[in-house]
C-alpha cells in the first residue's frame, strides 16, 4: 500500500457549548445520561448512527446542528446542568480523600484494614500511592469492543468505581485495531465473525506525548527483534487507562497485528500480546513517570508484568534475584477468574526459551530456574496463572464459591496445609450500578430514594430499603415501558439481520409480530461457552412447546451470545437454537439476537422479566449480568453457581438445582433440567400471570426484594472498597516497608525463607498434654501444653498454635487457631514448652497442635508453605 498522511476536519464548536468536546472525551458519559441526552438533543439519528460514540458524533455532526443547539435556551440549560454535574463529580471529596485525611490526622494507617497485620506501626504514604490495574480486556462502552465477556465488563466497571471512590488508580491494557469480533448470523444460522477496523481518531482516546510533543513509545523484546508500541490514554471519570498499540510502521506486519484483535491468532500471537501487555505495560507506566505502589493482575494474561518488574529490580536496582522476588510479591495482587482449564494460558518450555532466553542470564537465573517461576507439571509448561499465583503476595477468586473452588484447584501447591487455609481469598464481583440502570428506573429511584442514593463517591451504600416506598404500580409501569422498548428493539434488530441476509420481504415483515410485551419474557444472553448450557431448556422440546404455546399463560424466550471463533461446539449450539427458533411452533416466541454486546445487553437485562442462567456448577466463577438485571427489577432464575448462592434468599429470584456437586455431568444436567422446568411450570408462570388490574402483585414484591437485597451488595462500590480495604491498602503499606533502606526487608525475608526451608525438617512436636481427657463443660477451658523441638530455628520465626474445628469425614473443618505461649524450656536442649487455654462452645471438636513459620512481614500465614503437625496425640 502506498503511504499517506491523515488530516482530520471537524466542525467548530460554538463557544457557548465549548466543553462538549471535554465531555465527549471522558467515559463519564457512559454512566451519566445527562451527557448522552445532550448529543441526542443535537441529532438523535446521528447518535444512533455513530453507535452512541460522542467523539465520532462530533466528527460527523453538521455545524448548523451545533449552532441551532447553542442558540436554544432549553439546550443551554441542559448543557449547563451536564457540565455542572461533571464538574461536581470531578471535584467532589471522595471516600479515599476522607480516608487520607483521617490517616494524615493520626499519622497512622486507620482501621480500614480488617486484617491488621501490624497495621499500626506504619505511616501511610497517601500522596505517592498508586494502584496499577492490568487487564487484557476493558469493557467500557459499546462503541469500542475491547471485551469478549464478563472479564472485560468487570474490568470496565472496576475502573468506573475506582474513579467514583477517588482511588489513585491507573488501568493498563492493549488497544486492539479490530477489537473483538462482530457476530453476524447468516441465513443458515451459522455465526460469521467479522473484524471491523477501528479508526482511533473516532474514539475518546488521546496519544501520550513526551514534553516536546512527540509520541511516547515503549519497546519490548521478542525473538530476534524489538517491537515498539505507542500509548493511548482514555479518561474514565477521574482515572486514566493506558492502552498500548503496536500498529506502527516501524514494526513488521506480523508485529503490527499483535494489537490486531482480542484473543485472536495462535500461541505465538498470544505470548506476544501478553508480553506486550505485561512487560510493555510496566514500561508504559515508567515512560509516563508513574510509579505504582500496588500492582493488580486481573487474570493471568497480564502476569508477565512480574517478569519485567523482576528485570527492573535485578538490572536497574541491582538486587539479587531472590531479594527481587520478595519485592515483587510484597505489593502485588492477583485475581483469578475462571476454573475452566482453557482460561489458563500455558506456554511450552521451548516457546519460553525462544521468548525469554535472552533474559535468563541477565536475571541471574538458569533456564530451569526461570521455568520454575511458573512451571505446571500437569500441563508440562509455563502457566500464566501460576506465574501470578507464585509471585503475588495476595490472591483472590471472584465469589465465595469460586474462592473455595480456586483453593481446591491450587491446594497441591500447599501440601499438608488444610484446604480452607490455602491463601486464596475472594472478593465477590459487582456491577457499576449507574452504568447498567435504565434511565427510566433511575428517574423512578430519584423520585423515591432521595437524590443522595446515587452519591457514588461515598463508601456508604444508599438506603435501598426505600425501594419499598415506590408504589407497586409505578415500578410495574416503568418495567413494562422498558419491556416494550426492548421488544421493539429486538424486532428491529432481527428485521435488519434478515434484510442483510437477503431474506424474503415476508420473512422481514413477519418480525412485526414477534415477541409480545404482555407475555412472560425470559432472557438468556451470555458467551456461548458450552459449560453455560444454553441448550438445557431444549432437552425436552415438547415440554418447551407447551410452555411457549400455552394459550392463557404463554412464555417467550430471547437468546443472544457469541461463541469464540475457535469454539466449534459453541457455534453449533448457536445454530441449533437458531434452527429451533425457526420451527413453526417456536417462531416469534423464541428469538435469537445476533451480536451480543453492551448495547444489546442493556436492552435485554432492563427489559425482560426473568434472567436465566444455567451454568454447570461450579464452572461459573461469578457471573455479573444477573446483578445488572436485578438492579432493574428483573428476577434472576439461576443455578446456584458463582455469585447466586451468596445472593439468593428465597424471595429475590429463583434457584435452579442444588447447591452441591454431582458426580457426573449427565446426572447434573438431567437434574437441573427437571428443576428448571418444575420452577417454570409451578412457580414462575403462575406467579407472573396472577395479575389484578394488569399487575402481578406477588411478582412486584419479589422485584422489590431483588433490588433491595442485590443492588447494595453486588455493586462495584462494595467490590472496589473490599479490594481497597483487604488488599490495596495493605499492599501499599508493604510497598513502603519493603522498599525502605535499599530493600532491607526483602533481603531479610529472602534469607529467612531460605533458612527455614533448609532447617524446617528439624522441627518436631514431641508431646501434647491436655487438661481434660474427653469431655468438659462450656465454662471450663481446655489447657494445652506442647513440647516442641525447634532445632536451629529461632523461636521468633515460628508460631506454635492449637488448631481446632469440626470433625468431618474429611478431617477437621471450619478451623480456628489460637497461638500458644512459650512457657519455658524443657529438660533436653533445644526443646521448648508452649501452652495456652481455649474456650470451646458446646459440641464435639477435634484439636491438634502445629508449628508454622512466622514473620511479621509475611502477607499471610502460609506465605511459606511449611507446617509441622503433632504426629501423635
Ligand atoms: C455483563 C456482561 C457480560 C458478563 O455477564 P455474565 O453473567 O458473566 O454472562 C458479558 N457480556 C456483556 C455484554 C455484558 O454486559
Amino acid at each position: 500500500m502506498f503511504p499517506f498522511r491523515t488530516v482530520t476536519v471537524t466542525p467548530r464548536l460554538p463557544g457557548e457549548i465549548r466543553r462538549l468536546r471535554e465531555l465527549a472525551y471522558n467515559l463519564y458519559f457512559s454512566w451519566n445520561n445527562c451527557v448522552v441526552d445532550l448529543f441526542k438533543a443535537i441529532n438523535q439519528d446521528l447518535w444512533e448512527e455513530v453507535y452512541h460514540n460522542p467523539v465520532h458524533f462530533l466528527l460527523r455532526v453538521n455545524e448548523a446542528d451545533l449552532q441551532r443547539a447553542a442558540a436554544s435556551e432549553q439546550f443551554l440549560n441542559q448543557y449547563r446542568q451536564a457540565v455542572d454535574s461533571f464538574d461536581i463529580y470531578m471535584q467532589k471529596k471522595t471516600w479515599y480523600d476522607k480516608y487520607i485525611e483521617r490517616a494524615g490526622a493520626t499519622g497512622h494507617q486507620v482501621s480500614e484494614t480488617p486484617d491488621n497485620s501490624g497495621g499500626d506501626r506504619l505511616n501511610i504514604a497517601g500522596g505517592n500511592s498508586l494502584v496499577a490495574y492490568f487487564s487484557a480486556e476493558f469493557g467500557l462502552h459499546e462503541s469500542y469492543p475491547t471485551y469478549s465477556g464478563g472479564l472485560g465488563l468487570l474490568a470496565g466497571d472496576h475502573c468506573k468505581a475506582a474513579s467514583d471512590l477517588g482511588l489513585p488508580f491507573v488501568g493498563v491494557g492493549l488497544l486492539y485495531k479490530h477489537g473483538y469480533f462482530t457476530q453476524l448470523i447468516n441465513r443458515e444460522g451459522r455465526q460469521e465473525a467479522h473484524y471491523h477496523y477501528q479508526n482511533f481518531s473516532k474514539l475518546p482516546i488521546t496519544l501520550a506525548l513526551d514534553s516536546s510533543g512527540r509520541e511516547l513509545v515503549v519497546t519490548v523484546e521478542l525473538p530476534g527483534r524489538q517491537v515498539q508500541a505507542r500509548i493511548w490514554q482514555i479518561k474514565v471519570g477521574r482515572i486514566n487507562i493506558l492502552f498500548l498499540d503496536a500498529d506502527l510502521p516501524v514494526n513488521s506486519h506480523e508485529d503490527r497485528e499483535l494489537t490486531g484483535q482480542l484473543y485472536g491468532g495462535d500461541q505465538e500471537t498470544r505470548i506476544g500480546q501478553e508480553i506486550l501487555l505485561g512487560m510493555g505495560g510496566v514500561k508504559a507506566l515508567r515512560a509516563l513517570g508513574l510509579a505504582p505502589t500496588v500492582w493488580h493482575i486481573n487474570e493471568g494474561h497480564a502476569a508477565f508484568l512480574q517478569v519485567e518488574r523482576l528485570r527492573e529490580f535485578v538490572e536497574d536496582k541491582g538486587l539479587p534475584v531472590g531479594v527481587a522476588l520478595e519485592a515483587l510479591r510484597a505489593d502485588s495482587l492477583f485475581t483469578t477468574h475462571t476454573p475452566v482449564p482453557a482460561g489458563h494460558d500455558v506456554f511450552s518450555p521451548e516457546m519460553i526459551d525462544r521468548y525469554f532466553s535472552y533474559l535468563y542470564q541477565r536475571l541471574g537465573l538458569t533456564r530451569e530456574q526461570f521455568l520454575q517461576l511458573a512451571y505446571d507439571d500437569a500441563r508440562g509448561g509455563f502457566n500464566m496463572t501460576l506465574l501470578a499465583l507464585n509471585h503475588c503476595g495476595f490472591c483472590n477468586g471472584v465469589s465465595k464459591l469460586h474462592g473455595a473452588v480456586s483453593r481446591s484447584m491450587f491446594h497441591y501447591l500447599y501440601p499438608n496445609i488444610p484446604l480452607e487455609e490455602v491463601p486464596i481469598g475472594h472478593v465477590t464481583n459487582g456491577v457499576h450500578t449507574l452504568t447498567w440502570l435504565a434511565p427510566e428506573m433511575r428517574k423512578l429511584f430519584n423520585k423515591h430514594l432521595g437524590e443522595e442514593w446515587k452519591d457514588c463517591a461515598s463508601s456508604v451504600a444508599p438506603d435501598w430499603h426505600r425501594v419499598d416506598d415506590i408504589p407497586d404500580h409505578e415500578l410495574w409501569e416503568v418495567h413494562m415501558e422498558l419491556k416494550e422498548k426492548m421488544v421493539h428493539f429486538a424486532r428491529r434488530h432481527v428485521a435488519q439481520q434478515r434484510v442483510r441476509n437477503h431474506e424474503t420481504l415476508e420473512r422481514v415483515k413477519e418480525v412485526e409480530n414477534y415477541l409480545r410485551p404482555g407475555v412472560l419474557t425470559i432472557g438468556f444472553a451470555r458467551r456461548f461457552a458450552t459449560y453455560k448450557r444454553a441448550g438445557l431448556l431444549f432437552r425436552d422440546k415438547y415440554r418447551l412447546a407447551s410452555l411457549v404455546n400455552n394459550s392463557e399463560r404463554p412464555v417467550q424466550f430471547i437468546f443472544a451470545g457469541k461463541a469464540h471463533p475457535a469454539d466449534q461446539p459453541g457455534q453449533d449450539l448457536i445454530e441449533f437454537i437458531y434452527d429451533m427458533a425457526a420451527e413453526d411452533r417456536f417462531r416469534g416466541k423464541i428469538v435469537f439476537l445476533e451480536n451480543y454486546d453492551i448495547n444489546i445487553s442493556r436492552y435485554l437485562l432492563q427489559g425482560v422479566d426473568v434472567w436465566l442462567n444455567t451454568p454447570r456448577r461450579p464452572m461459573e466463577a461469578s457471573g455479573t449480568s444477573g446483578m445488572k438485571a436485578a438492579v432493574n427489577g428483573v428476577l434472576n432464575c439461576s443455578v446456584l453457581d458463582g455469585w447466586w448462592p451468596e445472593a439468593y434468599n428465597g424471595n429475590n429470584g429463583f434457584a435452579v438445582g442444588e447447591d452441591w456437586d454431582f458426580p457426573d455431568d449427565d446426572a447434573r444436567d438431567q437434574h437441573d433440567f427437571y428443576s428448571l422446568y418444575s420452577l417454570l411450570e409451578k412457580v414462575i408462570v403462575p406467579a407472573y400471570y396472577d395479575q389484578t388490574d394488569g399487575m402481578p402483585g406477588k411478582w412486584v414484591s419479589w422485584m422489590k426484594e431483588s433490588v433491595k437485597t442485590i443492588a447494595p451488595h453486588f455493586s462495584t462500590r462494595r467490590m472496589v472498597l473490599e479490594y481497597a480495604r483487604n488488599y490495596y491498602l495493605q499492599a501499599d503499606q508493604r510497598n513502603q516497608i519493603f522498599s525502605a533502606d535499599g530493600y532491607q526487608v526483602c533481603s531479610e525475608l529472602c534469607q529467612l525463607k531460605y533458612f527455614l526451608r533448609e532447617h524446617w525438617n528439624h522441627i518436631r512436636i514431641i508431646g501434647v498434654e491436655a487438661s481434660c481427657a474427653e469431655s468438659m463443660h462450656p465454662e471450663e477451658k481446655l489447657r494445652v501444653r506442647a513440647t516442641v523441638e525447634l532445632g536451629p530455628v529461632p523461636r521468633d520465626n515460628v508460631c506454635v498454635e492449637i488448631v481446632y474445628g469440626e470433625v468431618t469425614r474429611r478431617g477437621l473443618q471450619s478451623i480456628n487457631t489460637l497461638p500458644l505461649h512459650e512457657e519455658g524450656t524443657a529438660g533436653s536442649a533445644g526443646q521448648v514448652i508452649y501452652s495456652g487455654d481455649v474456650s470451646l462452645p458446646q459440641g464435639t471438636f477435634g484439636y491438634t497442635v502445629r508449628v508454622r513459620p512466622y514473620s511479621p512481614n509475611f502477607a499471610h500465614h502460609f506465605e511459606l508453605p511449611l507446617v509441622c503437625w503433632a504426629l501423635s496425640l
Side-chain angles (χ1 to χ4, degrees):
M1 198 168 53
F2 52 85
F4 56 82
R5 290 184 182 172
T6 52
V7 53
T8 304
V9 185
T10 55
R12 254 182 303 267
L13 269 178
E16 298 86 341
I17 53 173
R18 205 181 51 240
R19 292 186 64 196
L20 218 45
R21 175 157 287 123
E22 191 185 339
L23 292 176
Y25 275 90
N26 192 316
L27 265 289
Y28 179 78
F29 77 82
S30 69
W31 70 94
N32 285 282
N33 253 73
C34 59
V35 182
V36 169
D37 288 343
L38 293 179
F39 295 99
K40 280 191 183 165
I42 296 171
N43 185 337
Q44 170 119 32
D45 292 340
L46 180 59
W47 180 248
E48 293 301 328
E49 241 171 83
V50 298
Y51 214 41
H52 317 146
N53 172 347
V55 172
H56 193 187
F57 183 95
L58 289 182
L59 275 170
R60 291 268 312 271
V61 69
N62 286 327
E63 235 172 73
D65 282 345
L66 291 174
Q67 271 151 10
R68 194 170 330 110
S72 146
E73 204 41 53
Q74 194 197 340
F75 182 84
L76 287 178
N77 265 334
Q78 222 180 322
Y79 169 80
R80 276 187 291 264
Q81 277 176 20
V83 168
D84 282 353
S85 87
F86 177 65
D87 287 341
I88 290 171
Y89 177 83
M90 296 298 279
Q91 288 151 20
K92 194 171 184 125
K93 194 174 265 190
T94 61
W95 164 76
Y96 188 74
D97 294 327
K98 292 180 194 158
Y99 168 75
I100 289 298
E101 266 177 27
R102 277 184 291 151
T106 59
H108 290 298
Q109 170 93 18
V110 289
S111 62
E112 288 285 354
T113 41
D115 174 17
N116 50 359
S117 46
D120 261 333
R121 58 204 168 89
L122 314 161
N123 289 321
I124 180 96
N128 300 323
S129 305
L130 178 65
V131 178
Y133 177 86
F134 281 61
S135 179
E137 314 181 29
F138 284 92
L140 293 157
H141 187 254
E142 58 264 32
S143 59
Y144 184 56
T146 12
Y147 60 90
S148 75
L151 178 67
L153 273 303
L154 180 83
D157 280 10
H158 191 117
C159 292
K160 291 173 184 176
S163 162
D164 292 344
L165 293 165
L167 279 183
F169 191 92
V170 58
V172 180
L174 299 179
L175 195 67
Y176 306 94
K177 188 167 47 178
H178 304 290
Y180 197 56
F181 73 96
T182 297
Q183 177 197 52
L184 301 183
I185 307 283
N186 69 18
R187 286 171 79 141
E188 281 75 48
R190 298 301 304 170
Q191 164 177 300
E192 293 173 0
H194 290 256
Y195 290 91
H196 292 295
Y197 175 74
Q198 301 285 328
N199 183 339
F200 293 160
S201 66
K202 293 178 184 162
L203 295 178
I205 53 177
T206 50
L207 271 173
L209 307 174
D210 66 14
S211 51
S212 52
R214 275 189 306 259
E215 283 179 11
L216 280 173
V217 171
V218 298
T219 306
V220 295
E221 301 276 340
L222 292 183
R225 63 204 198 267
Q226 296 190 318
V227 174
Q228 299 195 359
R230 53 188 173 173
I231 308 164
W232 296 88
Q233 306 189 70
I234 188 165
K235 289 199 177 80
V236 181
R238 290 187 192 80
I239 66 130
N240 278 310
I241 304 176
L242 311 181
F243 284 120
L244 293 170
D245 165 19
D247 188 22
L248 293 176
V250 295
N251 296 330
S252 71
H253 175 72
E254 289 72 36
D255 291 337
R256 293 179 75 155
E257 287 304 314
L258 282 178
T259 49
Q261 31 176 291
L262 174 62
Y263 305 144
D266 52 12
Q267 284 281 93
E268 300 286 336
T269 315
R270 200 66 181 261
I271 196 171
Q273 287 189 323
E274 296 188 1
I275 288 171
L276 188 61
L277 172 63
M279 304 186 72
V282 176
K283 293 181 178 190
L285 291 164
R286 302 304 184 205
L288 285 159
L290 297 172
T293 55
V294 178
W295 301 79
H296 189 168
I297 303 176
N298 189 45
E299 193 55 316
H301 315 117
F304 283 134
L305 80 87
Q306 293 293 54
V307 174
E308 173 60 14
R309 292 185 66 210
L310 187 62
R311 192 205 60 72
E312 286 186 342
F313 281 122
V314 172
E315 288 201 319
D316 305 346
K317 298 225 157 72
L319 300 185
V321 67
V323 178
L325 286 169
E326 293 305 328
L328 293 184
R329 287 180 71 79
D331 52 8
S332 51
L333 164 66
F334 169 54
T335 303
T336 176
H337 283 270
T338 179
V340 180
H344 302 258
D345 288 320
V346 175
F347 300 113
S348 71
E350 296 68 38
M351 227 172 143
I352 293 297
D353 278 342
R354 254 185 311 117
Y355 282 84
F356 289 99
S357 55
Y358 77 98
L359 261 185
Y360 298 163
Q361 203 191 350
R362 281 164 63 185
L363 294 175
L365 293 173
T366 62
R367 170 181 190 257
E368 280 61 42
Q369 286 169 327
F370 187 87
L371 288 173
Q372 276 309 319
L373 294 175
Y375 203 73
D376 179 342
D377 292 318
R379 291 175 68 182
F382 193 90
N383 181 326
M384 294 302 282
T385 301
L386 290 184
L387 180 61
L389 213 50
N390 293 343
H391 302 286
C392 287
F394 303 99
C395 298
N396 74 290
V398 290
S399 69
K400 190 171 174 203
L401 179 60
H402 178 238
V405 170
S406 304
R407 287 192 287 278
S408 4
M409 276 176 75
F410 298 107
H411 194 189
Y412 74 94
L413 299 173
Y414 298 87
N416 290 327
I417 288 159
L419 176 60
E420 63 192 89
E421 290 184 279
V422 170
I424 301 177
H426 76 272
V427 175
T428 302
N429 283 345
V431 295
H432 189 253
T433 312
L434 291 184
T435 294
W436 299 104
L437 190 64
E440 292 82 352
M441 241 351 135
R442 188 165 166 158
K443 232 184 262 165
L444 188 69
F445 291 172
N446 284 348
K447 185 166 150 200
H448 296 283
L449 273 65
E451 272 294 317
E452 66 277 16
W453 79 271
K454 54 183 175 36
D455 174 11
C456 45
S458 142
S459 62
V460 185
D463 183 6
W464 286 96
H465 282 98
R466 291 176 66 181
V467 167
D468 282 336
D469 299 346
I470 304 175
D472 286 359
H473 69 272
E474 281 189 42
L475 182 60
W476 186 247
E477 273 159 24
V478 169
H479 174 67
M480 287 306 289
E481 191 185 326
L482 290 168
K483 196 165 162 188
E484 250 166 73
K485 251 174 89 171
M486 184 275 297
V487 165
H488 288 294
F489 170 82
R491 289 176 185 162
R492 236 178 13 252
H493 199 75
V494 177
Q496 277 165 5
Q497 175 194 3
R498 293 193 173 173
V499 169
R500 190 198 64 237
N501 283 338
H502 307 291
E503 300 205 32
T504 61
L505 195 57
E506 193 186 347
R507 284 267 295 160
V508 175
K509 280 229 149 119
E510 171 186 304
V511 169
E512 287 303 312
N513 304 318
Y514 280 17
L515 302 172
R516 287 173 294 153
V519 172
L520 169 59
T521 306
I522 299 180
F524 181 102
R526 47 198 74 254
R527 283 188 305 116
F528 265 57
T530 38
Y531 77 87
K532 298 197 184 228
R533 295 191 299 186
L536 193 65
L537 207 57
F538 297 92
R539 277 176 90 100
D540 185 340
K541 287 162 211 151
Y542 298 103
R543 211 161 158 187
L544 180 61
S546 65
L547 205 57
V548 163
N549 292 311
N550 187 304
S551 55
E552 273 141 45
R553 307 188 308 184
V555 184
Q556 59 195 11
F557 291 90
I558 308 184
F559 285 86
K562 297 177 180 178
H564 188 279
D567 176 9
Q568 197 54 47
Q571 293 175 59
D572 293 344
L573 196 50
I574 290 176
E575 189 177 355
F576 168 74
I577 292 177
Y578 195 85
D579 287 347
M580 281 290 120
E583 286 189 9
D584 274 344
R585 55 186 167 167
F586 296 128
R587 184 148 10 120
K589 297 159 188 165
I590 294 178
V591 171
F592 189 98
L593 301 185
E594 64 179 3
N595 200 31
Y596 181 49
D597 72 349
I598 293 182
N599 189 44
I600 296 183
S601 141
R602 257 196 326 256
Y603 272 107
L604 293 185
L605 46 84
Q606 295 170 357
V608 299
D609 298 299
V610 173
W611 193 250
L612 183 63
N613 182 36
T614 53
R616 195 174 281 137
R617 191 177 192 271
M619 300 308 266
E620 185 74 287
S622 167
T624 48
S625 56
M627 306 173 187
K628 305 170 192 168
V631 290
N632 286 290
V634 170
L635 297 178
N636 279 277
C637 174
S638 171
V639 165
L640 284 164
D641 196 10
W643 71 290
W644 192 231
E646 282 167 76
Y648 176 65
N649 72 0
N651 286 312
N652 58 358
F654 315 101
V656 178
E658 318 297 330
D659 62 353
W660 34 267
D661 296 327
F662 280 72
D664 72 281
D665 288 350
D666 282 340
R668 161 120 256 162
D669 292 356
Q670 193 61 17
H671 183 90
D672 288 351
F673 157 77
Y674 283 125
S675 167
L676 173 60
Y677 268 91
S678 144
L679 261 178
L680 285 168
E681 291 162 350
K682 299 203 186 94
V683 182
I684 298 178
V685 173
Y688 184 85
Y689 285 105
D690 180 9
Q691 305 195 352
T692 334
D693 300 332
M695 186 183 79
K698 181 85 197 151
W699 193 275
V700 174
S701 76
W702 287 341
M703 287 169 69
K704 287 185 171 178
E705 180 71 10
S706 166
V707 178
K708 264 185 337 201
T709 55
I710 293 168
H713 192 70
F714 298 92
S715 69
T716 39
R717 176 213 311 264
R718 188 271 313 150
M719 179 187 90
V720 171
L721 277 167
E722 246 175 69
Y723 275 109
R725 289 167 168 161
N726 296 355
Y727 298 117
Y728 294 163
L729 294 176
Q730 279 196 71
D732 183 52
Q733 279 177 42
R734 288 167 59 82
N735 170 279
Q736 273 187 78
I737 302 169
F738 281 60
S739 61
D741 306 323
Y743 295 88
Q744 182 63 28
V745 169
C746 297
S747 300
E748 288 166 14
L749 201 56
C750 176
Q751 280 167 26
L752 175 67
K753 285 187 182 175
Y754 184 80
F755 176 85
L756 288 175
R757 280 212 177 88
E758 278 294 283
H759 297 287
W760 194 254
N761 59 0
H762 292 287
I763 296 182
R764 248 189 307 277
I765 298 174
I766 293 170
V768 176
E769 296 160 28
S771 58
C772 79
E774 269 152 24
S775 71
M776 58 187 215
H777 299 296
E779 70 277 7
E780 289 176 76
K781 283 192 170 177
L782 179 68
R783 183 166 182 77
V784 177
R785 270 175 107 237
T787 311
V788 181
E789 188 164 298
L790 291 176
V793 177
R795 292 167 204 179
D796 286 350
N797 298 128
V798 297
C799 173
V800 180
E801 59 194 2
I802 173 167
V803 178
Y804 62 95
E806 286 166 27
V807 180
T808 73
R809 196 157 48 88
R810 290 197 216 110
L812 293 189
Q813 274 178 24
S814 306
I815 283 175
N816 284 295
T817 61
L818 187 89
L820 299 179
H821 301 290
E822 214 178 295
E823 198 181 279
T825 46
S828 59
Q831 292 188 357
V832 187
I833 296 174
Y834 290 84
S835 65
D837 299 312
V838 205
S839 309
L840 291 170
Q842 213 167 315
T844 303
F845 298 90
Y847 72 92
T848 183
V849 173
R850 73 178 177 196
V851 186
R852 62 174 168 85
Y854 174 80
S855 156
N857 294 317
F858 283 170
H860 43 73
H861 290 177
F862 291 105
E863 165 111 29
L864 197 54
L866 298 173
V867 65
C868 171
W869 297 92
L871 281 183
S872 53
L873 283 163

